[in-house]
Amino acid sequence: MEKITQTRLVPVAVIHDVADAVPLARTLSACGVDLIEVTLRTPAAIEAIRAIRAELPDMMVGAGTLLDIYQVEEAVKAGALFGVSPGINRSVVEKAHELELPFVPGACTPSDVEKGLSLGCKLQKFFPAEAAGGIPMLKAMAGPYQHTGLKFIPLGGVKANNAADYIKLPTVAAIGGSWFVDAKLVQAKNWKEIEKLTKEAVQMVRQA
Ligand code: 3PG
């Protein structure tokens, strides 16, 4: 969790070919981003997590889109160091806690937030950030929850053109998205473009 709040940038990767996992992670690492969320949306995801852990021991690799307890177990076995879900599911959060996997559940309403808080989750993914009200919604949610220490990672529709506005909010611990690790660029093995976009994102976060 500390690593996420230090890096302030969470690359959300959809990896279709396990051979792309390590080159992608190396590209991010070379830009100063030793953090990656690999979404469990492709058959290659679990092996991708395993490969990154084996080749880049300093990389904080997490598993995203964890929708059930079996995926949590698989992610932990593959070496995932944190877990993320788009929504909040009590059994998934409890399984993650049982397996000592730091976990970031998704939330986009006050009820989701409170469910997360009741399960001890002080870091939550605000998803889908842009569609769920974006910056005005986050500002409104700061009112009743900021004093609890709750922090958000807005994800979903966060891009180069709006990321700086999100990162400046006091309740935002980090921002994330796929705009600098786009699946099409990964499939095209366009590491140069990913490097360029990641460096721009890192620079934007530093300036903000
Ligand atoms: C996701 O779960 O897909 C992430 O939140 C990333 O969303 P994005 O592709 O809109 O950046």
Side-chain angles (χ1 to χ4, degrees), residues 5-183:
T5 50
Q6 278 164 11
T7 311
R8 307 207 75 195
L9 195 60
V10 182
V12 178
V14 179
I15 298 176
H16 291 274
D17 181 353
V18 68
D20 294 335
V22 171
L24 173 62
R26 279 197 210 287
T27 305
L28 292 169
S29 181
C31 300
V33 179
D34 286 320
L35 180 73
I36 184 169
E37 175 190 327
V38 177
T39 58
L40 265 63
R41 297 179 204 173
T42 64
I46 285 291
E47 280 311 310
I49 291 170
R50 198 168 274 127
I52 296 168
R53 283 286 279 145
E55 294 293 322
L56 289 107
D58 293 334
M59 191 90 186
M60 185 66 61
V61 55
T65 325
L66 294 177
L67 302 180
D68 61 48
I69 59 168
Y70 306 106
Q71 288 182 316
V72 175
E73 285 171 348
E74 262 196 301
V76 168
K77 273 193 218 143
L81 298 170
F82 66 95
V84 183
S85 59
I88 180 152
N89 177 329
R90 173 184 282 273
S91 63
V92 169
V93 177
E94 286 178 345
K95 178 55 79 178
H97 288 169
E98 181 195 321
L99 299 179
E100 297 182 353
L101 179 72
F103 196 78
V104 183
C108 78
T109 66
S111 298
D112 297 338
V113 165
E114 289 176 27
K115 196 169 170 188
L117 287 175
S118 74
L119 292 166
C121 302
K122 289 283 177 89
L123 185 60
Q124 301 185 10
K125 164 174 174 164
F126 176 53
F127 178 83
E130 277 291 283
I135 287 165
M137 181 66 165
L138 275 176
K139 282 186 177 164
M141 290 230 267
Y145 303 120
Q146 192 165 4
H147 71 281
T148 66
L150 173 70
K151 298 274 182 192
F152 290 105
I153 308 175
L155 282 146
V158 177
K159 295 191 192 317
N161 64 350
N162 59 10
D165 296 326
Y166 276 102
I167 197 87
K168 285 178 189 154
L169 298 177
T171 52
V172 168
I175 52 165
S178 62
W179 85 91
F180 54 102
V181 288
D182 185 83

